[in-house]
Amino acid sequence: MWIYEKKLEYPVKIKRTNPKLAKIIIAQYGGPDGELGAALRYLSQRFTMVTPQAIATLNDIGTEELAHLEMIGTICHQLIDKATPEQMREAGMDAEYVNHGLGIHPSGAGGAPWTAAYIQSKGDPITDLYENLAAEQKARSTYEYLLDLIDDPDVADPIRFLREREVVHFQRFGESLNIVRDYLGSKRMFYGK
């Protein structure tokens, strides 16, 4: 069970409309390395973890990824909230506008809709934790690439926060991997050790 705190994990207060920026940031909402996929991946994988610590880590990080999804959605919403149809067309978001108006829709920067094919839940604790380590690094890289393109400090600030959380998640998954390996080793099970 979750308790929802009705505030963002980190404040988002964007003053300038910029649909062009929203078009690329949406990658972290519904793209292949985005927050929606991360949340569903971790919350699905937790069922086959073998230690209470690993289960708790997946549950905690999966829940936090939902908070990050909310932040990315808020960033994109604030970037397009007051956009005109002409601004949406100039930003190359005319198809998005036709299909969703100014609504936020889970898709990648190129417009491809989110798909469950973006996530993996193998059922092998070691495999899944390695998958998660890679996923966190891909998300960190995406945030760094976004920062290369962002010149608005109101947008860059929460993106930097999200990038740093990916680093923390990577570290926590590494800790969980060590705990799971130790546990499986004590049971004389071989999982890539």
Side-chain angles (χ1 to χ4, degrees):
M1 163 163 282
W2 284 276
I3 297 171
Y4 175 66
E5 204 173 316
K6 296 182 180 183
K7 67 177 188 171
L8 294 177
E9 183 180 10
Y10 190 87
V12 176
K13 294 183 172 120
I14 299 167
K15 298 172 198 74
R16 289 185 283 164
T17 299
N18 189 339
K20 204 172 208 178
L21 206 46
K23 183 179 179 178
I24 60 172
I25 291 173
I26 199 73
Q28 284 302 91
Y29 193 77
D33 302 316
E35 304 293 353
L36 177 60
L40 293 175
R41 176 186 306 110
Y42 306 151
L43 293 173
S44 296
Q45 290 173 351
R46 69 190 169 140
F47 295 107
T48 55
M49 280 296 132
V50 293
T51 68
Q53 299 92 335
I55 293 166
T57 297
L58 285 161
N59 195 58
D60 291 350
I61 295 174
T63 300
E64 186 175 355
E65 299 293 8
L66 291 172
H68 295 175
L69 182 70
E70 183 180 34
M71 284 179 63
I72 291 294
T74 300
I75 290 168
C76 291
H77 170 72
Q78 289 181 11
L79 286 168
I80 67 170
D81 184 41
K82 296 186 177 22
T84 66
E86 182 59 33
Q87 287 174 308
M88 296 294 280
R89 184 177 17 256
E90 288 170 7
M93 292 186 71
D94 41 342
E96 190 74 13
Y97 179 75
V98 168
N99 288 324
H100 307 289
L102 298 177
I104 303 303
H105 181 260
S107 62
W114 187 85
T115 172
Y118 291 158
I119 67 170
Q120 184 56 263
S121 181
K122 192 69 173 172
D124 176 296
I126 300 293
T127 302
D128 284 344
L129 288 167
Y130 272 112
E131 169 80 18
N132 300 346
L133 288 163
E136 292 299 323
Q137 288 300 308
K138 290 187 285 183
R140 178 198 50 78
S141 294
T142 303
Y143 281 125
E144 288 177 3
Y145 298 150
L146 284 169
L147 286 166
D148 290 342
L149 300 172
I150 295 170
D151 60 0
D152 183 338
D154 292 339
V155 179
D157 187 48
I159 295 295
R160 276 191 203 92
F161 169 82
L162 291 166
R163 179 194 58 196
E164 293 308 311
R165 293 306 300 161
E166 304 301 344
V167 172
V168 171
H169 295 171
F170 179 83
Q171 293 166 340
R172 293 213 38 223
F173 282 132
E175 294 163 2
S176 289
L177 179 60
N178 290 333
I179 291 167
V180 167
R181 276 187 169 158
D182 289 345
Y183 172 82
L184 293 173
S186 73
K187 302 285 185 197
R188 301 188 206 288
M189 299 173 135
F190 178 78
Y191 281 93
K193 188 170 183 178

